[in-house]
Amino acid sequence: MILAFLILIPICGGVLAWTMESRHPGTARWIALAVLLGNLGLTALLVPARFDVVSAVGPFLISLELAWMPALGIHFHLALDGLNLVLVFLTHFLGLTALAAAWTEIEHKIGFFYFNLLWVLAGIMGVFLALDLFLFYFFWEMMLIPMFFLISVFGHANRTYASIKFFLFTQISGLLMLLAILGLYFIHGRLTGRYTFNYLELLGTPLSDVSGMLLMLGFLMAFAVKLPAVPLHTWLPDAHTEAPTAGSIILAGLLLKTGAYGIMRFVVPLFPKAAAAAAPFAMFLAVIAILYGALLALSQTDFKRLVAYTSVSHMGFVMLAIFAWNQLALQGALIQIICHGLSTGALFFLAGALQERLHTRELGRMGGLWAAAPRLSGMALFFALASLGLPGLGNFIAEFTILLGVYQVSKPLAVLSALGLISAAVYSLWIIQAAFHGPPQPKLVLADLSGRESAALLAMLAALVFLGLYPQPVFTAAEPALTHLTRTAATQKITEAVPAPPGENPHASP
Amino acid sequence: MLTIPVSHGLLLAGILFLLGFVCVLVRRNIIFILLGLEIMFNAAGLAFVAAGARWGQPDGQIMFLFILTTAAAEVSIGLALVFQLVHRLHTLDIDQADGMKG
Amino acid sequence: MELLWLIPAWPLLGFLILTCLAARLPRIMAGSVGVGSVGAAALTALLMAWDFLKHQPGRNAFTQHLWTWLDVAGLHLEIAFYLDALTLVMIIVITGVGFFIHLYSLGYMAHDQGYTRFFAYMNLFVAAMLVLVLADNLPLLYLGWEGVGLCSYLLIGFWYTDPANGYAARKAFVVTRVGDTAMAVGLFVLYNQLGTLQIQEVMQRAAAAWPAGSTMALLTALLLLGGAVGKSAQLPLQTWLPDAMAGPTPVSALIHAATMVTAGVYLIARTHGLFLLAPTALTITAVIGAATLLLAGFSALVQQDIKRVLAYSTISQLGYMFLALGVGAWSAAIFHLFTHAFFKALLFLGAGAVIHALGGEQDMSRMGGLKQKLPLTFWTFLAGAASLAALPLVTAGFYSKDLIIWQAFASPRGGLGFWFMAVAGALLTALYTFRMVLLTFTGPARTPVHHPPGLVMRLPLLVLAFLSLTAGFLETPHSLGHMRVFSGWLHTCLPEAGLAAGREAYEILFELLAGLAALCGIFGALRLYHPLAKSRYSLPESLRQYWIKGWGFDSLYDRLVVRPYIHLAQFNKNDFLDLFFVFLAWLAKTGHQTLAATQNGRLRSYAWGLGLGAAAIAAMVVLL
């Protein structure tokens, strides 16, 4: 039941925050804080002593299955394994960060804001936990609409355009996924006579090449838009730039990750053959994303827009790793998911802090801020360095393991994407130069970080350093789940006698 | 008995209908448009009568009675609209009443 | 021995204290933390050395495991330190020279606003550099490798208000990162082929799996060489080092002369097992070294900025080390690294004292006559210069450089060509070194002296001058006592160079020639640049400009890489891929407007539509 509570508590908290708005608007913040802390405590209860306890269906630590619409094969089916436990932790962590960012930024319609915030988080949590495809789709849509409101109501100048663009991209691609889900449902039903949306039962549905490819593409479209993969990324810079700070943090830190999670959990295990066939193409696109995002980031003059394009580049690594589909790369992808969430979230946090103080996001109007706000600038330096993959921080572990894993599968692509490390240095250092170094702006009064801001950023900093020096807990937690996923995909491939896929390729002797 | 071929009756009805329709299309005065509509109604009625005569059935004439009543109702509503138009826009020009454009 | 981890921990602790307390720390405290932490590291290092020599651990190496970094899907990495003779030399150089440079900085930076920040970065640098040399596996080495690059970036751009400094800093970081990326790819290849990244295991497995001269060995060696070339500012990635002089002078002394730039040399020496399997890679290393030492020597000859002379000189001396590595004279390379650290740090600190005294003046044409005004600086600088110019018999530079010059000829991989280039380089070195000394210290005074160096600045100069003159006696040639302390020690972990058959006989002759070259260079400088010299020979202006600009590499890279990349980025600022979606939106909007236009509210046009539609349907019924 804890799993259901994880989702229900934010939903109820959100409603409560909204209803309290008319009388005590300020309480919404405290409600949100209490909800998130309470949820975090609940999640902590779920951490087991050992992760490698494998039940019959998979390495699930805890699961919950309630009948919802049994006649149609729809169940309220949530389950938790090491992989999504890590992601649920990330959700809470970034939720708290977003809360810290919004604390003073949002002053109107406070209740409605926190309602949306909590509902987005509930939706994301649901996406990470759902094991019923219908339920998954339900949560997928549920996180979309509050996010739309966060951008369109609380965003900056060009918010309407950005929010509609965001909505159209995600909604249309989501519909394709719905079609694919229904397609899979009917094919499975016709073959076995059991019409069900249960992920675990749908695994291993035999599909013809064409239908497998079509269904896989339907899922992949939805996830690739969220990820985002080039060339479907163009909603992202607009949405990130126009969203309020908390919205940007959740977009970059969590919403993009649902795309990555979706590919890991659904696309490849459900359609291993089609995914293997599409993998070279997808990996190629991922490398393009890495280099192209980095190139675009360099020319941006808007702080948030710049950081948004770096997300395209970083998420390219994730997509590359997932389609490489071996243990090393997948583990790297998970770490990248976490570290990108933290480092980019922190950069958005800082961009928001600067906007609150300077009322601009234009890099051209910043410069020399170090003298005025050394703590803020030092933090920015740290997170810029994290985003360029400095060893000792989590992002390095992620990129290193990803490239190490990808190299086993495709040497040229690994080498090409390593070039992304150079361009990452170029844009990261440019941020520092443009905003914090350089000649100081005359007459610039800038308050340094407040205690609340420092605490949020320090927590992210500590997490990145920890993951950089001792990432093992995450690896250990995710290991059984990822092994299970790769094995599920692999066994199907063998039974269908498909030529050896890219994947588990132990060190080939020369 | 001299019988008029049904085709003549239908042809006449068709010509009347077209004349009425052209009146509706080209006139801007709403009174004339209503006149045109009346002509079209009667053209249709004529076609029914002609057809009824051809088959020796009373149905055509019954239909004509129906059309008459409908036309009466239509004219009363139409004239009410004319009143409203004059009352609100002080004109009989139907093109002035284009407030519903998209 | 168990205290090994303390060596990098001390400066790291210093960094943490300085960063966390930052503004709250009084200046005096910040200085003592900054210097004290490195001092503690130096003491610990000496303790380690004593312990190491006394107990001689098994297999001549000691490994300390701290914790498991990561263990995933067969990739097992430890945070572990590896101590052998090579590492010991490096940590003593880093902490020892580092300590004196920190001490010197107390005086040099005394009036700077970013005092605390300076020491924080410097401490972080020392910590990262120590991790680099102590690392037991390649990713940990890479951690230190990038860490020192980061500190180099931070310290070059230390005076951040000038955008030019920021540009130099970013250039240094990005150019070295090009090399680092090659090195990272090298790690991927090694792991893919050998299944491990632990340095000693890599070398063992490589030797077992790859025959000498195999493609894989060549590939990995070249990729690692790419990293080394970037870090050590060798051709073709040398362009960042002269610009790196934008940082405060102690930074140049510590990072861009004594320690960080020698990391490339260390890397190749550390992975010598791999390079020995790839003779072609060694030859390429030697060729790069030889070419770099000459090119940089010529550039040093014409520079006007005293720090840029020293920067090109550093590139050139690193070229010697690469040459030595390339011909298989491992311990000679490390020995030159060792002495170079002393005398080049000394020269930078001396130059810093001059710059400090003249209130920030770096142009040698505006110096002069400082011999009387700054006697101590002059004499110590002269000691460093003599050592750099390899003045025979009395300087450390002579013993280490002559060893390389001799090995360039005598080693089985060496040859007359390498020897000739090395000797020409020695001549050039002496020439530009004494040109610098003469321009700076002799002749008429052109700028008044503001701040003569204080005690904390003078002490390091003296100590380093002493070491620059005497450190060479650890290793002397056959003809001069045949001391073998240094190489005897290093041969516990690095192979001996060996001599090609029939070349021993020439040793004295070749050494005399090399010594003569240095003397000729000094003499030439006196003839050309002494204020009393009559002959004033000047180079053609175009050639001079060409050399000043470092053989045009900068403008070449600018045109080939930097500007196209920036233009491409600017050109595509609005992301042309978005045009497709903008087009879709436009299509929808236009369609909407077209249809909306038909809804004009006119009764008669609707009637027309009705009529035409009915006609069309009737026509269809009739026709079909």
Side-chain angles (χ1 to χ4, degrees), chain A residues 87-376:
Chain A
L87 293 170
V88 168
F89 261 117
L90 182 71
T91 309
H92 287 114
F93 194 89
L94 287 175
L96 284 168
T97 321
L99 184 64
W103 202 267
T104 54
E105 191 194 18
I106 304 299
E107 287 173 335
H108 303 289
K109 300 187 189 166
I110 298 180
F112 186 55
F113 180 85
Y114 288 101
F115 166 78
N116 283 315
L117 189 74
L118 289 175
W119 276 52
V120 164
L121 290 175
I124 291 169
M125 220 102 68
V127 162
F128 285 147
L129 292 175
L131 274 197
D132 182 286
L133 288 184
F134 186 85
L135 187 66
F136 176 77
Y137 182 76
F138 174 82
F139 283 126
W140 186 264
E141 293 294 309
M142 182 175 145
M143 66 184 185
L144 170 61
I145 291 162
M147 195 66 226
F148 170 78
F149 282 122
L150 281 183
I151 302 174
S152 69
V153 177
F154 301 94
H156 303 304
N158 202 12
R159 56 179 180 261
T160 315
Y161 171 77
S163 59
I164 290 176
K165 196 169 178 181
F166 163 76
F167 190 83
L168 286 178
F169 268 81
T170 38
Q171 184 69 5
I172 292 172
S173 61
L175 279 174
L176 291 177
M177 178 169 77
L178 180 63
L179 289 179
I181 290 176
L182 292 176
L184 187 61
Y185 172 77
F186 284 117
I187 289 177
H188 182 265
R190 213 163 290 158
L191 283 175
T192 62
R194 256 185 73 77
Y195 286 89
T196 176
F197 284 100
N198 188 338
Y199 165 75
L200 297 169
E201 288 186 45
L202 289 174
L203 278 176
T205 308
L207 296 165
S208 72
D209 282 356
V210 177
S211 60
M213 181 55 82
L214 285 176
L215 295 179
M216 193 277 296
L217 284 177
F219 274 88
L220 187 59
M221 275 301 277
F223 299 138
V225 164
K226 268 278 164 40
L227 198 60
V230 170
L232 302 171
H233 64 284
T234 67
W235 62 271
L236 177 133
D238 288 311
H240 277 63
T241 311
E242 299 303 331
T245 308
S248 302
I249 293 173
I250 290 188
L251 263 178
L254 296 172
L255 238 62
L256 307 191
K257 308 316 190 274
T258 58
Y261 172 78
I263 301 180
M264 257 193 222
R265 173 75 77 194
F266 296 105
V267 173
V268 186
L270 283 174
F271 315 102
K273 213 159 87 176
F281 185 66
M283 286 170 75
F284 180 72
L285 277 183
V287 172
I288 300 275
I290 294 172
L291 299 176
Y292 190 70
L295 179 71
L296 273 164
L298 183 64
S299 59
Q300 301 307 317
T301 52
D302 182 312
F303 197 135
K304 285 179 89 172
R305 216 176 163 80
L306 197 166
V307 179
Y309 275 114
T310 71
S311 287
V312 176
S313 182
H314 287 143
M315 294 309 286
F317 277 104
V318 175
M319 177 143 154
L320 183 66
I322 295 175
F323 278 98
W325 201 249
N326 59 25
Q327 202 41 229
L328 203 53
L330 283 175
Q331 291 275 22
L334 181 62
I335 296 270
Q336 175 81 338
I337 283 174
I338 301 169
C339 293
H340 171 261
L342 294 171
S343 64
T344 308
L347 283 175
F348 278 123
F349 192 109
L350 287 161
L354 281 176
Q355 186 170 23
E356 218 176 325
R357 289 163 169 78
L358 305 173
H359 307 290
T360 180
R361 299 188 304 265
E362 278 299 306
L363 288 171
R365 296 178 54 194
M366 300 179 189
L369 300 182
W370 196 295
R375 259 180 293 155
L376 193 157

Side-chain angles (χ1 to χ4, degrees), chain C residues 20 45 132 165 173 238 365 584:
Chain C
C20 295
L132 193 168
N165 296 350
F173 193 89
Q238 83 285 25
S365 64
L584 280 188

Side-chain angles (χ1 to χ4, degrees), chain C residues 53-73:
Chain C
L53 292 177
K54 204 173 118 198
H55 291 113
Q56 283 296 344
R59 302 178 65 198
N60 297 312
F62 167 73
T63 310
Q64 183 174 36
H65 294 275
L66 294 180
W67 70 84
T68 301
W69 194 3
L70 50 97
D71 182 9
V72 51

Side-chain angles (χ1 to χ4, degrees), chain B residues 21 25-27 95 97-98 101-102, chain C residues 599-601 603-604 607-608 611:
Chain B
F21 189 59
L25 290 185
V26 301
R27 299 307 295 242
D95 281 1
D98 61 350
K101 66 185 163 211
Chain C
Q599 182 129 356
N600 57 7
L603 192 63
R604 293 185 311 127
W608 270 106

Side-chain angles (χ1 to χ4, degrees), chain C residues 143 426 493 549:
Chain C
L143 189 155
C493 62
K549 289 179 181 146

Side-chain angles (χ1 to χ4, degrees), chain A residues 161 165 169 230-234 292 294-296 298-301 309 327-328 331 370-371 381 385 388-392 396-397 400-401 403-404 407-408 411 415 418-419 421-423 425-426 429-430 432-433 436-440 468-472 475 507-508 510, chain C residues 67-75 77 79 117 121 139 142-143 146-147 150 153-154 157 160-163 166-167 169-170 173-174 177-178 181 184-185 187-189 191-195 197 209-210 216 219 565-566 568-570 572-578 581-582:
Chain A
Y161 171 77
K165 196 169 178 181
F169 268 81
V230 170
L232 302 171
H233 64 284
T234 67
Y292 190 70
L295 179 71
L296 273 164
L298 183 64
S299 59
Q300 301 307 317
T301 52
Y309 275 114
Q327 202 41 229
L328 203 53
Q331 291 275 22
W370 196 295
L381 175 65
L385 293 174
L388 72 76
L390 190 77
F396 167 72
I397 301 287
F400 189 74
T401 42
L403 290 178
L404 218 47
Y407 190 85
Q408 328 272 6
K411 295 176 175 63
V415 173
L419 293 181
L421 301 179
I422 303 175
S423 33
V426 176
L429 297 183
W430 173 244
I432 298 302
Q433 179 65 33
F436 303 102
H437 285 171
L469 294 178
Y470 190 57
Q472 198 55 42
F475 288 141
H507 325 297
Chain C
W67 70 84
T68 301
W69 194 3
L70 50 97
D71 182 9
V72 51
L75 173 68
L77 295 177
I79 301 275
R117 190 162 57 95
Y121 291 167
Y142 191 76
L143 189 155
E146 290 271 294
L150 162 70
Y153 159 79
L154 292 171
Y160 57 80
T161 46
D162 184 353
Y167 182 77
R170 274 179 290 137
F173 193 89
V174 174
R177 198 152 224 238
V178 173
T181 304
V185 174
L187 302 195
F188 305 151
V189 181
Y191 179 71
N192 183 251
Q193 294 292 321
L194 303 174
L197 286 171
W210 296 332
M216 268 301 152
L219 178 69
Y565 188 77
I566 290 177
L568 189 62
Q570 292 295 345
N572 192 28
K573 186 180 171 212
N574 291 325
D575 194 355
F576 79 96
L577 288 179
D578 197 28
F581 300 104
V582 170

